[in-house]
């Protein structure tokens, strides 16, 4: 064991001596290379009174009043429209009527979560697109295309685009609701319906759509209410007090609705009310 420790110590001592001997030669080489390397030439400074040859770019003037068909303004308009899209769908389209009717139908059938809310909202969105597609095509042709070409300003485009939408809403808004909001807004009585402002037309249209939706929903409830009453009276007369009538009436209502092809009849009746 002592012999092993002596060998290891001898090897370590030789290694340290070799590294110490190599360091002076390496330092001399580094010093020689440093003395032989040329010194960097200083960059000459520009003389006083001289000006740079490259002039700064002149600012680009944008005539906002003439046209706004530029990329930044298009992005701003797009983001604004995306932010207001849910409110526009609820306020200026048949989306409210459709959603109210389908929720009444689900309550009448007794299926609390089937179809799901996502399914009903998706169906309402595509039915709304089906109804509003002609109006959207008219707005695009009258307002969007001239705005993209720079022929009109944003204000004129909004005025042109609002006309088809206002005409659509006035077609289904009740005169009683329009008169109510004209009275509350203290506006002068218009000579024709198209002279009404959007602050009068939009709330009147929403109230009218809610009324129509509740009317159709009440009519949908009647046949299913008859089934509920019949099942409840039969189970009570048979002495089945512990059996809830919903357990029997719900499958019967679904069966009647499917046998009558209820989705086809309901959606067809709703869409025909807009044409």
């Amino acid at each position: 064991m002592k012999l092993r420790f002596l060998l290891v110590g001898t090897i370590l001592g030789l290694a340290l001596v070799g590294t110490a001997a190599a360091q002076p030669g390496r330092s001399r080489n580094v010093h020689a290379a440093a003395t032989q390397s040329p010194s960097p030439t200083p960059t000459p400074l520009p003389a006083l009174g001289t000006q740079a040859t490259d002039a700064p770019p002149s600012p680009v003037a944008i005539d906002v009043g003439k046209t706004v068909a530029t990329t930044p303004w298009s992005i701003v308009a797009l983001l604004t429209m995306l932010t207001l899209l849910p409110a526009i769908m609820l306020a200026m389209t048949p989306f409210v009527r459709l959603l109210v009717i389908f929720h009444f139908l689900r309550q009448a059938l007794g299926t609390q979560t089937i179809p799901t809310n996502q399914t009903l909202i998706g169906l309402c969105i595509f039915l709304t697109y089906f109804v509003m597609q002609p109006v959207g095509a008219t707005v695009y042709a009258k307002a969007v295309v001239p705005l993209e070409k720079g022929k009109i300003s944003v204000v004129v485009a909004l005025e042109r685009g609002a006309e088809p939408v206002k005409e659509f809403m006035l077609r289904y808004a009740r005169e009683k609701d329009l008169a109510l909001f004209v009275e509350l807004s203290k506006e002068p009585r218009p000579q024709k319906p198209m002279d009404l402002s959007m602050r009068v037309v939009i709330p009147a249209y929403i109230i009218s759509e809610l009324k129509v939706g509740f009317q159709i929903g009440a009519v949908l409830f009647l046949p299913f209410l008859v089934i509920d009453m019949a099942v409840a009276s039969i189970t009570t007369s048979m002495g089945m007090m512990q059996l809830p009538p919903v357990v029997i009436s719900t499958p019967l209502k679904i069966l009647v609705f499917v046998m009558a092809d209820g989705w086809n009849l309901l959606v067809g009746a709703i869409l025909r009310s807009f044409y």
Side-chain angles (χ1 to χ4, degrees), residues 96-112 114-115 117 120 124 209-225 228 253 257 263 266 270:
V96 174
R97 180 194 300 191
L98 296 170
L99 193 61
V100 169
I101 292 172
F102 288 141
H103 274 284
F104 268 108
L105 174 64
R106 188 171 66 179
Q107 293 292 328
L109 287 173
T111 57
Q112 301 299 324
I114 300 175
N117 291 331
L120 293 180
C124 292
E209 289 293 288
L210 287 174
K211 178 179 175 59
V212 174
F214 274 82
Q215 286 177 343
I216 299 176
V219 173
L220 283 175
F221 251 105
L222 293 179
F224 299 111
L225 182 62
D228 287 332
K253 291 187 289 186
F257 186 75
W263 287 110
L266 179 61
I270 294 173

Side-chain angles (χ1 to χ4, degrees), residues 9-213:
T10 305
I11 293 171
L12 291 175
L14 292 174
L16 292 174
V17 170
T19 54
Q23 286 181 357
R26 186 180 303 173
S27 62
R28 286 194 298 269
N29 294 333
V30 172
H31 179 70
T35 54
Q36 293 176 3
S37 60
S39 60
T41 57
T43 304
L45 297 176
L48 296 177
T50 59
Q51 296 180 354
T53 56
D54 297 334
S58 58
V60 180
I62 299 176
D63 191 358
V64 180
K66 182 179 180 181
T67 177
V68 291
T70 57
T71 302
W73 284 101
S74 301
I75 294 175
V76 171
L78 179 61
L79 294 177
T80 305
M81 291 298 296
L82 290 177
T83 305
L84 299 177
L85 185 60
I88 293 173
M89 285 195 62
L90 290 174
M92 305 171 66
T93 63
F95 186 85
V96 174
R97 180 194 300 191
L98 296 170
L99 193 61
V100 169
I101 292 172
F102 288 141
H103 274 284
F104 268 108
L105 174 64
R106 188 171 66 179
Q107 293 292 328
L109 287 173
T111 57
Q112 301 299 324
T113 58
I114 300 175
T116 61
N117 291 331
Q118 291 82 359
T119 304
L120 293 180
I121 291 174
L123 179 60
C124 292
I125 288 174
F126 281 101
L127 291 178
T128 302
Y129 168 75
F130 183 84
V131 175
M132 297 297 295
Q133 194 274 333
V135 180
T138 306
V139 172
Y140 182 80
K142 288 186 176 181
V144 179
V145 174
L147 179 63
E148 289 179 348
K149 295 181 179 179
K151 296 181 178 179
I152 59 176
S153 62
V154 175
V155 178
V156 178
L158 290 176
E159 293 177 355
R160 291 187 181 182
E163 292 179 358
V165 179
K166 183 189 293 187
E167 183 180 357
F168 174 83
M169 290 190 292
L170 288 173
R171 193 184 309 167
Y172 303 103
R174 297 190 308 164
E175 184 177 354
K176 183 178 181 180
D177 296 331
L178 292 172
L180 171 65
F181 285 99
V182 168
E183 180 183 356
L184 295 176
S185 63
K186 307 298 182 181
E187 292 185 359
R189 188 176 182 86
Q191 298 181 355
K192 55 183 180 179
M194 288 299 294
D195 295 336
L196 291 170
S197 61
M198 295 296 283
R199 65 186 290 254
V200 172
V201 176
I202 292 176
Y205 173 75
I206 295 175
I207 291 179
S208 302
E209 289 293 288
L210 287 174
K211 178 179 175 59
V212 174

